Amino acid sequence: MPTIKQDDVIQSVADALQYISYYHSPDFIQAMAAAYEREESPAAKDAIKQILVNSRMCAEGHRPICQDTGIVTVFVKVGMNVQWADATLSLSDMINEGVRRAYNHPDNMLRASIVGDPLFDRKNTKDNTPAVIHMEVVPGDTLDIAVAAKGGGSENKSKMVMLNPSDSIVDWLVKTVPQMGAGWCPPGMLGIGIGGTAEKAMVMAKESLFEEIDIHEIREHGPKDKFEALRLEIMDKINALGIGAQGLGGLTTVLDVKIKYYPTHAASLPVAVIPNCAATRHAHFVLDGSGPAKLDPPDLELWPKLTYQASAESRRVNLDALTREDVASWKPGERLLLSGKMLTGRDAAHKRISTLIEKGEPLPPGLDFKNRVIYYVGPVDPVKGEVVGPAGPTTATRMDKFTDMMLGKTGLIAMIGKSERGPEAIESIRKHKAAYLMAVGGSAYLVSKAIRSSRVVAFGDLGMEAIYEFEVKDMPVTVAVDARGESVHETGPAEWKKRIAGIPVKVV
């Protein structure tokens, strides 16, 4: 009877998490490359190109695809006859030790994003533990492990509903996906769980995202059953909404739709949907006592031979001399190249600023937002002489409730993030004649190459959520909301929904 060593579990989990931090799976690369080739929206095509170029850079440089290196989710199938050689830890503790080693790897530090207390202190655990672990005991003598690292931007867009048995799942999804916004960084996959109970539907939706992208094969040979037909129907109707890459409007919003289902109560129809972003990260391995798992790297020839250069029509912006008049001249959808110094900040920093202002207390010494730009980002720690690690944008809508305060009381005149802004934030941007700029989610390593220097300005105890000052050179962004309050996340999808309805296009 083969025996499994404790260290093999730990090492395999650590290696798998490192592996998925910088390697996209071959099926995803091929699906994104195909989406790039058929995309007709210039803005969406540019975003997909950035994602693909970033993906190859990460594969070559062994650095994270996205600065949000995720919350770790693990599905474990434990063989009933598994024997342990030297185990002193529980299986959960082995897995968490693997997470700890992966996220503190000196050659590729991964961002620790987990807070131990979810409600009050919200202190970072510093090593991204604990993982969320699902275990099942099955026949056999092996240990089957699937690991994923799920970013908060996409996880936050998860939805669950208890429909009536006679209700249409397709209608609910067509209504719900636009409500998710672009914070999940499309194009990506939708994982759908149907049946069971509320919690079972959510777990099935998450588990379905481990499956390979194969919808193109179903389309080629035709659906074999009603669930494959349902996948095609959902995908085509979602893509026909015109949401597109990064929510800018385009032909491809989802690359695949996955469905897992389970028997349910006669009175119930639980349905859950969890999106997987453009930084999809998952791996699967089986331990049989012969040693730690080995994952083969994908062939670099899988990536399309693309390089990224900003559009020649891009407007160059000097952040160190930026004025409100400059901001007012920017047009929706216009591409900018930013150079100079900007500040960073996200949820925790905004909350502290809000508290100081409410108390009538001054901001920390050296922190001045007047006529400046803030970048919503929580970067990865640098390694090997880097100025900063991967530093892509975080979801801007989380800062909406702070926007009027920042624009009205600090002198801030522009913001950078990903995804759309809500009505309240857009009205504040219009009122203060400010602007919101969008960087591409899923291109964190590419963005970091534009950052020439980095220093902590305030709230250093917040770690990646501290306020930094970045000096950048030709950082590419798009004007997402202009000083008049026009949002490309509203106009872009609306335009492409009409275009898709009126043009013959094969959405696959």
Side-chain angles (χ1 to χ4, degrees):
M1 181 74 68
T3 57
I4 296 173
K5 294 181 179 179
Q6 174 175 291
D7 285 347
D8 289 348
V9 176
I10 295 170
Q11 192 62 49
S12 297
V13 170
D15 290 348
L17 289 169
Q18 277 286 308
Y19 180 98
I20 63 176
S21 76
Y22 45 73
Y23 286 139
H24 270 131
S25 59
D27 59 306
F28 180 83
I29 299 162
Q30 292 165 341
M32 281 293 280
Y36 174 78
E37 289 299 324
R38 64 177 171 264
E39 186 56 69
E40 297 179 21
S41 162
K45 196 174 185 76
D46 181 77
I48 295 173
K49 185 177 185 179
Q50 287 193 49
I51 291 167
L52 284 167
V53 171
N54 179 79
S55 176
R56 183 176 178 122
M57 288 173 61
C58 294
E60 293 174 330
H62 285 194
R63 290 295 272 142
I65 294 164
C66 179
Q67 80 287 341
D68 184 348
T69 49
I71 182 169
V72 177
T73 302
V74 184
F75 286 88
V76 187
K77 294 180 180 179
V78 184
M80 295 173 70
N81 298 320
V82 162
Q83 300 290 313
W84 296 97
D86 58 354
T88 58
L89 300 176
S90 70
L91 183 51
S92 292
D93 287 343
M94 294 179 209
I95 291 169
N96 280 316
E97 179 58 27
V99 174
R100 191 171 292 112
R101 291 186 189 181
Y103 279 74
N104 288 319
H105 195 293
D107 294 331
N108 183 40
M109 291 288 291
L110 305 181
R111 198 184 81 183
S113 301
I114 304 306
V115 293
D117 170 0
L119 192 58
F120 298 107
D121 293 337
R122 293 185 66 85
K123 289 185 179 179
N124 198 298
T125 63
K126 304 296 185 183
D127 57 12
N128 224 58
T129 64
V132 176
I133 303 170
H134 303 276
M135 290 193 195
E136 180 182 1
V137 178
V138 300
D141 56 9
T142 61
L143 198 62
D144 184 299
I145 299 180
V147 298
K150 190 75 157 53
S154 60
E155 187 70 4
N156 289 350
K157 301 302 181 179
S158 303
K159 303 291 182 183
M160 192 272 160
V161 67
M162 299 298 289
L163 295 177
N164 293 318
S166 60
D167 291 340
S168 167
I169 290 173
V170 176
D171 288 349
W172 179 75
L173 287 167
V174 169
K175 179 182 71 174
T176 299
V177 171
Q179 296 171 357
M180 292 179 181
W184 61 280
C185 285
M189 284 74 70
L190 293 181
I192 300 171
I194 304 172
T197 52
E199 81 282 3
K200 178 66 174 178
M202 291 299 291
V203 172
M204 288 190 295
K206 178 64 66 68
E207 193 172 13
S208 74
L209 293 171
F210 285 85
E211 298 173 4
E212 285 192 7
I213 296 172
D214 64 353
I215 197 103
H216 55 289
E217 297 172 7
I218 295 173
R219 196 178 296 280
E220 287 171 5
H221 62 59
K224 295 178 180 178
D225 57 38
K226 291 180 180 180
F227 281 94
E228 287 193 351
L230 180 61
R231 288 172 59 191
L232 288 171
E233 181 184 1
I234 293 169
M235 181 169 178
D236 287 346
K237 288 187 176 180
I238 297 299
N239 281 337
L241 296 172
I243 296 167
Q246 304 291 299
L248 294 170
L251 300 181
T252 303
T253 303
V254 291
L255 300 171
D256 200 347
V257 173
K258 299 298 184 184
I259 295 176
K260 289 184 78 69
Y261 60 93
Y262 195 83
T264 191
H265 192 283
S268 302
L269 181 56
V271 182
V273 59
I274 301 180
N276 221 14
C277 65
T280 180
R281 292 166 295 215
H282 56 87
H284 171 256
F285 56 88
V286 177
L287 298 180
D288 60 6
S290 61
K294 290 182 171 44
L295 298 172
D296 295 325
D299 187 344
L300 289 177
E301 293 301 312
L302 285 171
W303 278 267
K305 292 177 172 57
L306 298 172
T307 57
Y308 186 77
Q309 291 182 327
S311 168
E313 290 78 37
S314 297
R315 187 195 303 204
R316 295 186 179 276
V317 174
N318 179 3
L319 296 175
D320 298 331
L322 191 62
T323 65
R324 289 191 177 274
E325 291 70 27
D326 294 330
V327 172
S329 71
W330 297 342
K331 306 297 183 186
E334 185 177 10
R335 297 175 191 175
L336 310 179
L337 292 175
L338 308 181
S339 296
K341 294 178 180 178
M342 65 174 64
L343 294 169
T344 76
R346 37 181 285 160
D347 311 65
H350 279 77
K351 186 174 182 180
R352 285 198 183 178
I353 292 169
S354 176
T355 299
L356 290 173
I357 290 175
E358 287 173 1
K359 292 180 177 179
E361 297 177 5
L363 297 181
L367 181 58
D368 185 359
F369 289 100
K370 186 175 182 180
N371 288 346
R372 301 197 74 178
V373 173
I374 192 169
Y375 181 26
Y376 302 146
V377 63
V380 175
D381 288 342
V383 299
K384 301 176 183 176
E386 292 175 337
V387 168
V388 67
T394 198
T395 306
T397 46
R398 297 202 314 274
M399 268 54 73
D400 280 3
K401 63 183 179 181
F402 301 110
T403 298
D404 197 61
M405 171 202 70
M406 293 296 293
L407 296 179
K409 297 185 178 180
T410 71
L412 186 74
I413 57 176
M415 302 150 283
I416 307 168
K418 72 170 184 178
S419 82
E420 74 288 345
R421 304 307 298 265
E424 180 182 4
I426 291 174
E427 173 55 26
S428 182
I429 290 168
R430 186 201 62 77
K431 179 176 69 175
H432 295 288
K433 301 190 185 311
Y436 167 60
L437 312 175
M438 194 202 78
V440 173
S443 63
Y445 198 35
L446 177 64
V447 171
S448 73
K449 297 305 180 184
I451 302 171
R452 299 294 191 260
S453 68
S454 170
R455 69 181 183 91
V456 175
V457 175
F459 311 141
D461 62 298
L462 294 178
M464 62 93 174
E465 293 211 67
I467 293 180
Y468 294 79
E469 182 180 74
F470 287 169
E471 184 171 4
V472 300
K473 176 68 174 176
D474 291 343
M475 177 179 169
V477 296
T478 299
V479 180
V481 181
D482 73 349
R484 289 157 290 282
E486 182 175 331
S487 170
V488 298
H489 286 103
E490 295 176 357
T491 59
E495 174 191 348
W496 280 90
K497 182 177 181 179
K498 292 178 181 177
R499 290 194 60 182
I500 291 169
I503 60 176
V505 56
K506 185 180 180 182
V507 185
V508 296

